Amino acid sequence: MAFYSIGDVAERCDINPVTLRAWQRRYGLLKPQRSEGGHRQFDEEDIQRIEEIKRWIQSGVPVGKVKALLEKTKVQTYDDWTSRQEEMMSVLRFAHPAKLRAKIVALSREHAASELIDFVFVPVRQRLSLDHNTARIMCSLLDGALIEHVALTLSETRKKAGKDALLIGWDIDDRTRLWLEAWRLSQQGWHIAVLAEPLDGPRPELFPGQQLFVWTGLTPTRRQQELLQHWHEQGYSLTFHQP
């Protein structure tokens, strides 16, 4: 079994070592092993847990509440969702778009969109992002299939009763995740249109009278919250989308 130092893990997971220490000491989120010299040693399971912690925090969950969610998820759904993730990885290894599309459709018939996003598609994309070689191609294939599936789903949803809304990405890089969040909103009774290119700022004046959802990918910054309040005072209808 391979072990990694806290510096290696920090670089691999794009997170500050100070944050990792706080997650361990203050919040009890991590339990790395120790070397004979007393240095922290992380394995692949620790790295997957770190990525899961990041996902919860990026979804807007306060770090103090993450441990309870991790334990609940582990007890209730770990085996089932892990098997679904492995099924998706197996299909991706064939690099066959038609089979991949069929698998996504089959999963969508069995599970709610929010569950698939949180427990299958986001974790699988995170796993693929850790590899800089073939997995990047697999991730790109998956992203294309997911966006195609979501676009078709949004179109079907518009045939049912609902309210129109526009989803805007604000200071984000992950366009696929933006489409996944559009899918999540569409299952809540919204007819969602997606502004496919993320913006540095939402510019609500360009969309007068429309309901706007804004996705930041992380907990909104103080500046973003201040701007949202300012736009509300001007009469614009904007809402931070936080799953």
Side-chain angles (χ1 to χ4, degrees):
M1 179 183 294
F3 289 100
Y4 308 92
S5 70
I6 191 170
D8 293 335
V9 173
E11 182 177 359
R12 181 170 172 179
C13 297
D14 191 24
I15 191 168
N16 195 302
V18 174
T19 301
L20 293 175
R21 294 189 186 99
W23 286 358
Q24 177 193 352
R25 294 172 178 172
R26 187 181 306 172
Y27 300 105
L29 293 172
L30 300 171
K31 296 180 180 179
Q33 299 183 45
R34 295 278 183 171
S35 68
E36 292 183 359
H39 300 292
R40 292 176 178 83
Q41 293 183 318
F42 297 83
D43 59 21
E44 290 292 340
E45 186 174 345
D46 292 320
I47 291 173
Q48 291 299 323
R49 186 175 176 87
I50 289 168
E51 292 296 340
E52 190 173 3
I53 294 168
K54 287 172 58 180
R55 176 175 61 80
W56 282 117
I57 293 173
Q58 289 168 0
S59 297
V61 176
V63 64
K65 297 182 178 180
V66 170
K67 186 176 181 180
L69 291 171
L70 289 172
E71 294 303 319
K72 180 180 180 181
T73 299
K74 182 177 181 180
V75 171
Q76 295 183 351
T77 63
Y78 180 80
D79 290 340
D80 183 52
W81 293 122
T82 299
S83 66
R84 293 292 182 269
Q85 293 170 24
E86 292 304 324
E87 289 171 10
M88 182 59 63
M89 291 294 293
S90 295
V91 173
L92 282 166
R93 292 186 184 99
F94 285 103
H96 195 298
K99 291 182 179 179
L100 178 58
R101 289 194 298 268
K103 184 60 178 178
I104 293 172
V105 170
L107 287 173
S108 300
R109 290 171 177 167
E110 298 174 6
H111 304 285
S114 287
E115 293 180 333
L116 287 177
I117 293 168
D118 292 337
F119 301 121
V120 179
F121 298 133
V122 168
V124 167
R125 294 181 73 239
Q126 288 174 341
R127 287 173 62 178
L128 293 173
S129 70
L130 297 177
D131 190 324
H132 298 284
N133 300 310
T134 306
R136 289 297 181 90
I137 298 174
M138 292 165 61
C139 190
S140 182
L141 180 65
L142 175 60
D143 284 356
L146 286 173
I147 291 173
E148 180 182 349
H149 177 76
V150 172
L152 291 171
T153 300
L154 297 184
S155 179
E156 288 297 317
T157 302
R158 294 190 189 99
K159 298 177 182 179
K160 305 175 183 178
K163 297 181 179 180
D164 292 338
L166 176 65
L167 179 61
I168 299 173
W170 186 359
D171 267 344
I172 65 168
D173 296 320
D174 192 343
R175 290 167 175 77
T176 302
R177 184 63 189 273
L178 182 66
W179 283 91
L180 290 176
E181 294 307 321
W183 184 16
R184 195 194 304 267
L185 282 167
S186 74
Q187 303 306 296
Q188 300 172 10
W190 293 99
H191 293 168
I192 296 293
V194 181
L195 199 64
E197 188 67 23
L199 304 177
D200 294 333
R203 300 287 301 277
E205 69 275 10
L206 298 178
F207 311 98
Q210 299 184 51
Q211 171 63 50
L212 305 178
F213 284 102
V214 179
W215 169 252
T216 62
L218 301 167
T219 301
T221 65
R222 181 175 180 179
R223 175 58 176 163
Q224 289 172 329
Q225 293 173 349
E226 291 174 347
L227 285 171
L228 185 71
Q229 181 61 35
H230 171 69
W231 289 322
H232 281 171
E233 292 171 354
Q234 291 185 322
Y236 297 111
S237 182
L238 280 85
T239 303
F240 281 122
H241 169 55
Q242 295 179 316

